[in-house]
Coordinates of all heavy atoms in Angstrom, one line a residue:
E189 N 14.5 22.8 6.1 CA 15.1 22.3 7.3 C 14.1 22.0 8.4 O 13.5 22.9 8.9 CB 16.2 23.2 7.9 CG 17.4 23.3 6.9 CD 18.5 24.2 7.4 OE1 18.9 24.0 8.6 OE2 19.0 25.0 6.7
T190 N 14.0 20.7 8.8 CA 13.1 20.3 9.9 C 13.8 19.4 10.9 O 13.2 19.1 12.0 CB 11.9 19.6 9.4 OG1 12.3 18.4 8.7 CG2 11.1 20.4 8.4
L191 N 15.0 19.0 10.6 CA 15.7 18.1 11.5 C 16.2 18.7 12.8 O 16.6 19.8 12.8 CB 17.0 17.5 10.8 CG 16.7 16.6 9.6 CD1 18.0 16.3 8.9 CD2 16.1 15.3 10.1
K192 N 16.1 17.9 13.9 CA 16.8 18.3 15.1 C 18.3 18.1 15.0 O 18.7 17.1 14.3 CB 16.2 17.4 16.3 CG 14.8 17.7 16.6 CD 14.4 16.8 17.8 CE 12.9 17.1 18.1 NZ 12.5 16.2 19.2
S193 N 19.1 18.9 15.6 CA 20.5 18.8 15.4 C 21.1 17.8 16.4 O 22.2 17.4 16.2 CB 21.2 20.2 15.6 OG 20.9 20.7 16.8
T194 N 20.4 17.5 17.5 CA 20.9 16.5 18.5 C 19.7 15.5 18.8 O 18.6 15.9 19.1 CB 21.3 17.3 19.8 OG1 22.3 18.2 19.4 CG2 21.9 16.3 20.8
V195 N 20.1 14.2 18.7 CA 19.1 13.2 19.0 C 19.8 12.1 19.8 O 21.0 12.0 19.9 CB 18.5 12.6 17.7 CG1 17.7 13.6 17.0 CG2 19.5 12.0 16.8
D196 N 19.0 11.1 20.3 CA 19.5 10.0 21.1 C 19.8 8.9 20.1 O 19.2 8.8 19.0 CB 18.5 9.6 22.1 CG 19.1 8.8 23.3 OD1 20.4 8.5 23.2 OD2 18.4 8.5 24.2
V197 N 20.6 7.9 20.5 CA 20.9 6.8 19.6 C 19.6 5.9 19.4 O 18.7 6.0 20.2 CB 22.0 5.9 20.3 CG1 21.5 5.1 21.5 CG2 22.7 5.0 19.2
N198 N 19.7 5.2 18.3 CA 18.5 4.4 17.8 C 17.3 5.2 17.5 O 16.2 4.8 17.7 CB 18.2 3.3 18.8 CG 19.3 2.3 18.9 OD1 19.9 1.9 17.8 ND2 19.7 1.8 20.0
T199 N 17.5 6.4 17.1 CA 16.4 7.3 16.6 C 16.3 7.2 15.1 O 17.3 7.2 14.4 CB 16.7 8.8 17.0 OG1 16.8 8.9 18.5 CG2 15.6 9.7 16.6
S200 N 15.1 7.3 14.6 CA 14.9 7.3 13.1 C 14.6 8.8 12.8 O 13.8 9.4 13.4 CB 13.8 6.4 12.7 OG 14.2 5.1 12.8

Side-chain angles (χ1 to χ4, degrees):
E189 295 182 45
T190 61
L191 289 173
K192 292 182 180 178
S193 61
T194 304
V195 297
D196 204 355
V197 72
N198 293 321
T199 299
S200 289

